[in-house]
Amino acid sequence: MTPLNSVETLSPEAIITHLDALSAILEDCVTGGASVSFMLPFSRHTARQFWQDMAESVRREERTVLACRDAQGDYVGTVQLITSQPENQPHRADVAKLLVHQKARRQGIAMQLMQALEATARAQGKTVLVLDTATGSGAESFYQQAGWQKAGEIPRYALMPDGTMAGTSLFYKFL
């Protein structure tokens, strides 16, 4: 039996092996309105292609993908640490695609994923993390509660999955 909410680092092979489960998380988040770079209608094919691309990015050592399993061993959340940066920024990494399936929210999974991501970043010698999220979203409140500093907002930054325009809030955290 898998411990409650265990977080693991996914190899490219693990991403491909668990393509359906990871795709289901992404699909659930996008259809639920999360601003994570995709538009509605959203297909399982698009989700699978995204994760195949992420497996290749991990293989090229551009990013680390972390995933969280629930007590039943099912994947319920993921987050990515993008370490491929310009040569003058070896100390920095971007955080992307913190995704938690709607059925598993409000259980501390997002915080557990972020704590594991920060530990991974420290182990890789990173001292500054940055991310952006939709202004006014629940994610914005979450990052503030998790100790991230808001650097500012950019209005009309991206479209939400339903096509409405949204701003983005930029955050950073020193490790």
Side-chain angles (χ1 to χ4, degrees):
M1 185 78 133
T2 305
L4 183 62
N5 301 340
S6 64
V7 175
E8 59 193 77
T9 300
L10 298 182
S11 68
E13 296 76 22
I15 292 170
I16 297 303
T17 298
H18 301 288
L19 207 54
D20 287 337
L22 297 170
S23 295
I25 295 167
L26 179 57
E27 186 175 14
D28 176 75
C29 291
V30 173
T31 59
S35 177
V36 290
S37 305
F38 297 98
M39 302 297 293
L40 295 174
F42 186 75
S43 71
R44 181 61 57 100
H45 172 77
T46 300
R48 290 175 62 85
Q49 185 60 59
F50 169 79
W51 283 111
Q52 289 169 341
D53 293 347
M54 293 307 98
E56 287 308 310
S57 184
V58 170
R59 191 176 317 284
R60 291 188 302 267
E61 300 181 356
E62 298 168 339
R63 74 185 61 228
T64 301
V65 174
L66 301 173
C68 184
R69 293 181 189 255
D70 64 13
Q72 290 71 44
D74 296 326
Y75 285 114
V76 293
T78 68
V79 69
Q80 298 177 30
L81 180 69
I82 302 171
T83 53
S84 178
Q85 301 295 333
E87 68 178 76
N88 69 336
Q89 299 170 40
H91 60 291
R92 185 178 75 76
D94 293 336
V95 176
K97 305 287 187 283
L98 176 60
L99 306 169
V100 177
H101 196 286
Q102 291 179 76
K103 71 179 181 184
R105 291 190 185 156
R106 305 278 183 227
Q107 298 176 28
I109 292 167
M111 187 65 76
Q112 191 173 359
L113 281 163
M114 289 302 291
Q115 289 170 346
L117 178 134
E118 290 173 20
T120 298
R122 280 188 200 93
Q124 294 181 16
K126 304 301 179 185
T127 58
V128 180
L129 299 179
V130 297
L131 62 82
D132 71 274
T133 194
T135 302
S137 68
E140 183 179 27
S141 299
F142 166 78
Y143 291 121
Q144 290 173 325
Q145 292 170 358
W148 286 72
Q149 300 300 310
K150 186 172 178 177
E153 296 177 10
I154 302 171
R156 300 183 313 198
Y157 186 78
L159 298 175
M160 297 298 288
D162 66 3
T164 60
M165 187 69 68
T168 195
S169 294
L170 305 171
F171 285 88
Y172 67 92
K173 189 169 193 179
F174 294 129
L175 302 179

XYZ file of all heavy atoms in Angstrom, residues 64-133:
532
model
N 12.101 18.792 -14.221
C 11.791 17.676 -13.339
C 10.282 17.664 -13.154
O 9.683 18.716 -12.919
C 12.484 17.847 -11.962
O 13.899 17.938 -12.169
C 12.167 16.700 -11.039
N 9.682 16.502 -13.293
C 8.241 16.355 -13.071
C 8.043 15.558 -11.790
O 8.577 14.461 -11.640
C 7.553 15.642 -14.259
C 6.084 15.374 -13.944
C 7.689 16.469 -15.530
N 7.289 16.137 -10.874
C 6.926 15.467 -9.628
C 5.449 15.116 -9.686
O 4.652 15.873 -10.244
C 7.187 16.373 -8.427
C 8.622 16.860 -8.242
C 8.689 17.882 -7.125
C 9.553 15.708 -7.971
N 5.098 13.986 -9.101
C 3.695 13.562 -9.074
C 3.367 13.032 -7.690
O 4.220 12.487 -6.991
C 3.435 12.494 -10.126
N 2.109 13.205 -7.318
C 1.626 12.757 -6.013
C 0.581 11.672 -6.208
O -0.323 11.812 -7.034
C 1.025 13.937 -5.255
S 0.509 13.534 -3.576
N 0.728 10.612 -5.437
C -0.250 9.523 -5.433
C -1.071 9.605 -4.148
O -0.568 9.988 -3.104
C 0.437 8.166 -5.448
C 1.187 7.848 -6.716
C 1.784 6.450 -6.564
N 2.692 6.100 -7.626
C 2.393 5.260 -8.611
N 1.205 4.710 -8.666
N 3.292 4.962 -9.524
N -2.327 9.188 -4.245
C -3.161 9.123 -3.052
C -2.931 7.781 -2.348
O -2.084 6.975 -2.768
C -4.634 9.366 -3.385
C -5.236 8.304 -4.292
O -4.632 7.226 -4.503
O -6.347 8.557 -4.807
N -3.670 7.540 -1.302
C -3.495 6.310 -0.509
C -3.776 5.046 -1.308
O -3.267 3.977 -0.995
C -4.383 6.363 0.738
N -4.563 5.170 -2.370
C -4.867 4.011 -3.221
C -3.817 3.816 -4.311
O -3.903 2.873 -5.091
C -6.251 4.159 -3.877
C -7.421 4.046 -2.913
C -7.534 5.262 -1.993
O -7.417 6.406 -2.428
N -7.728 5.006 -0.714
N -2.845 4.710 -4.381
C -1.792 4.598 -5.380
C -2.097 5.296 -6.691
O -1.324 5.175 -7.641
N -3.210 6.034 -6.751
C -3.586 6.736 -7.974
C -2.927 8.118 -8.009
O -2.876 8.818 -6.991
C -5.104 6.926 -8.048
C -5.847 5.609 -8.123
O -5.325 4.654 -8.736
O -6.965 5.531 -7.555
N -2.455 8.512 -9.186
C -1.917 9.859 -9.325
C -3.050 10.869 -9.218
O -4.088 10.725 -9.857
C -1.212 10.031 -10.666
C 0.135 9.359 -10.710
C 0.353 8.276 -11.547
C 1.184 9.800 -9.914
C 1.588 7.644 -11.586
C 2.415 9.176 -9.947
C 2.615 8.109 -10.785
O 3.837 7.483 -10.818
N -2.829 11.898 -8.397
C -3.845 12.936 -8.191
C -3.302 14.345 -8.381
O -4.072 15.301 -8.378
C -4.501 12.810 -6.798
C -5.331 11.532 -6.700
C -3.466 12.874 -5.684
N -1.993 14.484 -8.558
C -1.428 15.814 -8.737
C -0.028 15.765 -9.311
O 0.671 14.757 -9.175
N 0.358 16.864 -9.958
C 1.701 16.994 -10.519
C 2.170 18.441 -10.428
O 1.363 19.361 -10.276
C 1.762 16.585 -12.013
O 1.036 17.531 -12.785
C 1.214 15.194 -12.241
N 3.477 18.623 -10.544
C 4.078 19.949 -10.647
C 5.418 19.778 -11.359
O 6.000 18.694 -11.343
C 4.259 20.627 -9.267
C 5.317 19.931 -8.420
C 4.556 22.113 -9.421
N 5.878 20.861 -11.986
C 7.120 20.794 -12.749
C 8.095 21.887 -12.322
O 7.696 23.020 -12.057
C 6.829 20.955 -14.236
C 5.941 19.861 -14.770
C 5.599 20.054 -16.222
O 6.388 20.616 -16.976
N 4.430 19.590 -16.622
N 9.363 21.514 -12.302
C 10.457 22.435 -12.042
C 11.249 22.538 -13.343
O 11.854 21.561 -13.782
C 11.349 21.905 -10.914
C 12.543 22.774 -10.541
C 12.058 24.065 -9.858
C 13.486 22.007 -9.621
N 11.208 23.715 -13.961
C 11.905 23.919 -15.235
C 13.284 24.502 -14.928
O 13.413 25.634 -14.478
C 11.104 24.852 -16.157
C 9.717 24.267 -16.413
C 11.861 25.068 -17.474
C 8.768 25.190 -17.133
N 14.292 23.683 -15.162
C 15.665 24.059 -14.809
C 16.487 24.535 -15.998
O 17.578 25.055 -15.813
C 16.380 22.868 -14.138
O 16.259 21.728 -14.991
C 15.748 22.568 -12.783
N 15.984 24.374 -17.199
C 16.688 24.857 -18.389
C 16.523 26.370 -18.455
O 15.450 26.872 -18.782
C 16.112 24.188 -19.640
O 16.761 24.690 -20.787
N 17.589 27.080 -18.121
C 17.568 28.537 -18.057
C 18.761 29.101 -18.826
O 19.722 28.381 -19.104
C 17.629 29.012 -16.598
C 16.506 28.509 -15.726
C 15.133 29.028 -16.140
O 15.010 30.092 -16.721
N 14.097 28.259 -15.846
N 18.739 30.390 -19.138
C 19.897 31.013 -19.792
C 21.157 30.862 -18.934
O 21.070 30.697 -17.706
C 19.499 32.489 -19.907
C 18.005 32.486 -19.836
C 17.646 31.336 -18.939
N 22.316 30.929 -19.559
C 23.560 30.661 -18.833
C 23.842 31.655 -17.707
O 24.575 31.334 -16.776
C 24.751 30.566 -19.776
C 25.149 31.861 -20.451
C 26.365 31.680 -21.336
O 26.214 31.127 -22.433
O 27.458 32.088 -20.911
N 23.223 32.843 -17.742
C 23.443 33.806 -16.664
C 22.462 33.616 -15.502
O 22.432 34.422 -14.584
C 23.381 35.246 -17.193
C 21.986 35.664 -17.619
O 21.138 34.839 -17.946
N 21.746 36.966 -17.621
N 21.665 32.534 -15.551
C 20.685 32.283 -14.492
C 20.742 30.835 -13.997
O 19.708 30.180 -13.851
C 19.290 32.607 -15.011
C 19.144 34.061 -15.412
C 17.851 34.340 -16.137
O 16.797 33.814 -15.793
N 17.918 35.173 -17.158
N 21.924 30.322 -13.691
C 22.009 28.927 -13.257
C 21.405 28.682 -11.872
O 21.133 27.542 -11.503
C 23.520 28.664 -13.238
C 24.113 30.007 -12.945
C 23.225 30.986 -13.693
N 21.179 29.752 -11.127
C 20.656 29.682 -9.773
C 19.125 29.674 -9.725
O 18.534 29.513 -8.676
C 21.157 30.893 -8.977
C 20.716 32.197 -9.594
N 21.213 32.649 -10.802
C 19.809 33.110 -9.191
C 20.631 33.800 -11.108
N 19.766 34.108 -10.149
N 18.459 29.822 -10.883
C 17.024 30.040 -10.945
C 16.316 28.889 -11.646
O 16.882 28.215 -12.497
C 16.753 31.339 -11.715
C 15.299 31.732 -11.748
C 15.102 33.046 -12.484
N 15.217 32.932 -13.924
C 14.276 32.425 -14.712
N 13.159 31.947 -14.205
N 14.445 32.384 -16.015
N 15.037 28.695 -11.291
C 14.180 27.728 -11.988
C 12.751 28.261 -11.995
O 12.373 29.083 -11.152
C 14.219 26.362 -11.307
N 11.979 27.810 -12.966
C 10.569 28.169 -13.070
C 9.712 27.028 -12.550
O 10.048 25.856 -12.749
C 10.175 28.430 -14.532
C 10.843 29.657 -15.127
O 11.232 30.556 -14.359
O 10.973 29.703 -16.358
N 8.610 27.373 -11.952
C 7.624 26.401 -11.504
C 6.466 26.445 -12.493
O 6.005 27.526 -12.862
C 7.129 26.719 -10.078
C 6.034 25.751 -9.650
C 8.290 26.702 -9.102
N 6.012 25.272 -12.925
C 4.932 25.229 -13.907
C 3.963 24.095 -13.613
O 4.331 23.074 -13.044
C 5.515 25.050 -15.314
N 2.738 24.315 -14.037
C 1.699 23.281 -14.086
C 1.486 22.552 -12.756
O 1.509 21.332 -12.693
C 1.993 22.265 -15.186
C 2.198 22.851 -16.568
C 0.916 23.332 -17.189
C 1.078 23.758 -18.622
N 1.701 25.076 -18.796
N 1.253 23.323 -11.694
C 0.797 22.692 -10.448
C -0.653 22.285 -10.689
O -1.532 23.130 -10.835
C 0.897 23.665 -9.273
C 0.347 23.148 -7.941
C 1.077 21.883 -7.492
C 0.451 24.235 -6.874
N -0.871 20.989 -10.793
C -2.184 20.434 -11.131
C -2.618 19.456 -10.048
O -1.875 18.529 -9.726
C -2.114 19.673 -12.463
C -1.557 20.406 -13.674
C -1.313 19.427 -14.823
C -2.499 21.516 -14.106
N -3.806 19.649 -9.516
C -4.385 18.696 -8.572
C -5.791 18.373 -9.061
O -6.594 19.281 -9.305
C -4.421 19.240 -7.126
C -5.098 18.244 -6.190
C -3.004 19.561 -6.645
N -6.060 17.095 -9.228
C -7.381 16.650 -9.678
C -8.434 17.182 -8.706
O -8.235 17.200 -7.488
C -7.427 15.126 -9.733
C -8.570 14.589 -10.517
N -9.864 14.600 -10.046
C -8.611 14.033 -11.750
C -10.661 14.065 -10.952
N -9.929 13.715 -12.004
N -9.572 17.616 -9.242
C -10.629 18.199 -8.400
C -11.075 17.264 -7.278
O -11.411 17.726 -6.183
C -11.825 18.601 -9.271
C -11.503 19.777 -10.183
C -12.664 20.174 -11.055
O -13.605 20.803 -10.564
N -12.614 19.802 -12.324
N -11.055 15.958 -7.519
C -11.494 15.007 -6.484
C -10.533 14.943 -5.306
O -10.889 14.424 -4.251
C -11.659 13.604 -7.078
C -10.345 12.935 -7.446
C -10.528 11.555 -8.006
C -9.172 10.930 -8.326
N -9.275 9.636 -8.962
N -9.321 15.488 -5.478
C -8.305 15.383 -4.429
C -7.916 16.739 -3.838
O -6.955 16.823 -3.082
C -7.077 14.686 -5.001
N -8.670 17.766 -4.137
C -8.320 19.099 -3.635
C -8.697 19.258 -2.166
O -9.493 18.518 -1.631
C -8.995 20.171 -4.490
C -8.373 20.187 -5.880
C -8.799 21.349 -6.698
N -8.236 21.205 -8.052
C -8.732 21.760 -9.107
N -9.793 22.541 -9.016
N -8.162 21.578 -10.276
N -8.074 20.246 -1.550
C -8.297 20.586 -0.136
C -7.829 19.472 0.795
O -8.368 19.273 1.877
C -9.769 20.924 0.148
C -10.317 22.021 -0.735
C -9.927 23.363 -0.194
N -10.535 24.419 -1.014
C -9.849 25.458 -1.454
N -8.593 25.592 -1.163
N -10.442 26.375 -2.180
N -6.795 18.736 0.354
C -6.222 17.664 1.172
C -4.732 17.886 1.424
O -4.047 16.986 1.893
C -6.435 16.312 0.475
C -7.890 15.948 0.291
C -8.063 14.655 -0.486
O -7.210 13.776 -0.469
N -9.185 14.535 -1.175
N -4.224 19.058 1.065
C -2.815 19.369 1.288
C -1.880 18.868 0.196
O -0.658 18.958 0.338
N -2.438 18.361 -0.894
C -1.603 17.798 -1.960
C -0.791 18.882 -2.663
O 0.403 18.695 -2.933
C -2.473 16.995 -2.941
C -3.000 15.753 -2.228
C -1.701 16.634 -4.211
C -4.096 15.029 -2.959
N -1.398 20.014 -2.964
C -0.658 21.092 -3.626
C 0.518 21.539 -2.762
O 1.632 21.720 -3.272
C -1.590 22.272 -3.925
N 0.299 21.680 -1.467
C 1.379 22.092 -0.574
C 2.467 21.022 -0.516
O 3.661 21.333 -0.543
C 0.837 22.373 0.829
C 1.874 22.962 1.754
S 2.437 24.605 1.241
C 1.040 25.599 1.730
N 2.071 19.769 -0.473
C 3.048 18.684 -0.436
C 3.879 18.663 -1.722
O 5.101 18.494 -1.680
C 2.339 17.348 -0.230
C 3.278 16.210 0.076
C 2.545 14.946 0.447
O 1.321 14.901 0.505
N 3.294 13.900 0.699
N 3.225 18.865 -2.859
C 3.950 18.922 -4.124
C 4.931 20.094 -4.147
O 6.079 19.948 -4.579
C 2.969 19.033 -5.296
C 2.287 17.746 -5.731
C 1.067 18.043 -6.593
C 3.263 16.829 -6.459
N 4.500 21.251 -3.665
C 5.376 22.423 -3.679
C 6.550 22.256 -2.715
O 7.673 22.675 -3.017
C 4.580 23.689 -3.355
C 3.626 24.104 -4.472
S 4.441 24.387 -6.066
C 5.363 25.870 -5.707
N 6.326 21.645 -1.571
C 7.426 21.401 -0.643
C 8.443 20.438 -1.250
O 9.657 20.640 -1.130
C 6.889 20.873 0.684
C 6.165 21.939 1.468
C 5.403 21.393 2.671
O 5.184 20.196 2.819
N 4.975 22.302 3.545
N 7.956 19.410 -1.933
C 8.855 18.465 -2.600
C 9.599 19.159 -3.740
O 10.798 18.924 -3.949
C 8.073 17.260 -3.114
N 8.909 20.021 -4.477
C 9.541 20.766 -5.560
C 10.650 21.671 -5.016
O 11.746 21.725 -5.575
C 8.496 21.593 -6.305
C 9.053 22.454 -7.431
C 8.214 22.315 -8.678
C 9.129 23.895 -6.996
N 10.379 22.349 -3.916
C 11.384 23.234 -3.334
C 12.593 22.435 -2.856
O 13.739 22.870 -3.040
C 10.774 24.058 -2.206
C 9.798 25.098 -2.718
C 9.037 25.830 -1.626
O 9.491 25.833 -0.456
O 7.976 26.415 -1.937
N 12.375 21.276 -2.273
C 13.485 20.417 -1.843
C 14.300 19.950 -3.048
O 15.536 19.922 -3.012
C 12.957 19.221 -1.053
N 13.608 19.611 -4.130
C 14.284 19.204 -5.362
C 15.122 20.351 -5.910
O 16.270 20.155 -6.321
C 13.246 18.737 -6.405
O 12.545 17.605 -5.882
C 13.895 18.376 -7.720
N 14.552 21.548 -5.910
C 15.274 22.725 -6.404
C 16.522 22.985 -5.563
O 17.596 23.252 -6.114
C 14.347 23.945 -6.395
N 16.390 22.907 -4.254
C 17.552 23.103 -3.373
C 18.636 22.074 -3.686
O 19.819 22.411 -3.757
C 17.145 22.989 -1.898
C 16.520 24.215 -1.333
C 16.320 24.088 0.188
N 15.340 25.036 0.621
C 14.034 24.779 0.746
N 13.537 23.586 0.482
N 13.213 25.727 1.137
N 18.232 20.821 -3.847
C 19.186 19.750 -4.143
C 19.898 19.986 -5.473
O 21.033 19.523 -5.659
C 18.471 18.398 -4.156
N 19.270 20.713 -6.377
C 19.869 21.028 -7.677
C 20.620 22.365 -7.647
O 21.044 22.864 -8.685
C 18.795 21.039 -8.764
C 18.186 19.676 -9.019
C 17.137 19.690 -10.118
O 17.038 20.623 -10.917
N 16.349 18.638 -10.171
N 20.754 22.953 -6.456
C 21.501 24.201 -6.319
C 20.741 25.447 -6.711
O 21.343 26.514 -6.898
N 19.434 25.360 -6.811
C 18.620 26.527 -7.175
C 18.334 27.341 -5.912
O 18.067 26.782 -4.847
C 17.307 26.115 -7.840
C 17.499 25.228 -9.058
C 18.337 25.897 -10.130
C 18.532 24.992 -11.325
N 19.442 25.566 -12.320
N 18.372 28.673 -6.057
C 18.109 29.542 -4.912
C 16.957 30.512 -5.139
O 16.511 31.166 -4.208
C 19.368 30.351 -4.536
O 19.773 31.132 -5.675
C 20.512 29.425 -4.108
N 16.490 30.613 -6.384
C 15.361 31.484 -6.710
C 14.388 30.717 -7.598
O 14.785 30.151 -8.615
C 15.803 32.764 -7.463
C 14.600 33.648 -7.781
C 16.848 33.533 -6.690
N 13.129 30.698 -7.195
C 12.079 30.095 -8.003
C 11.104 31.185 -8.419
O 10.841 32.114 -7.646
C 11.323 29.023 -7.211
C 12.147 27.839 -6.717
C 11.263 26.873 -5.929
C 12.832 27.128 -7.870
N 10.558 31.064 -9.630
C 9.564 32.016 -10.110
C 8.395 31.263 -10.741
O 8.557 30.129 -11.194
C 10.157 33.022 -11.132
C 11.233 33.878 -10.489
C 10.706 32.313 -12.347
N 7.240 31.904 -10.727
C 6.054 31.336 -11.362
C 5.073 32.450 -11.653
O 5.201 33.564 -11.148
C 5.402 30.261 -10.480
C 4.853 30.660 -9.101
C 3.460 31.275 -9.187
C 4.815 29.449 -8.199
N 4.084 32.126 -12.483
C 2.974 33.052 -12.679
C 1.683 32.256 -12.617
O 1.664 31.058 -12.882
C 3.099 33.815 -13.998
C 2.858 32.960 -15.221
O 3.812 32.326 -15.702
O 1.702 32.922 -15.688
N 0.618 32.945 -12.224
C -0.692 32.313 -12.116
C -1.774 33.349 -12.374
O -1.520 34.557 -12.261
C -0.869 31.650 -10.732
O -1.998 30.789 -10.761
C -1.025 32.673 -9.625
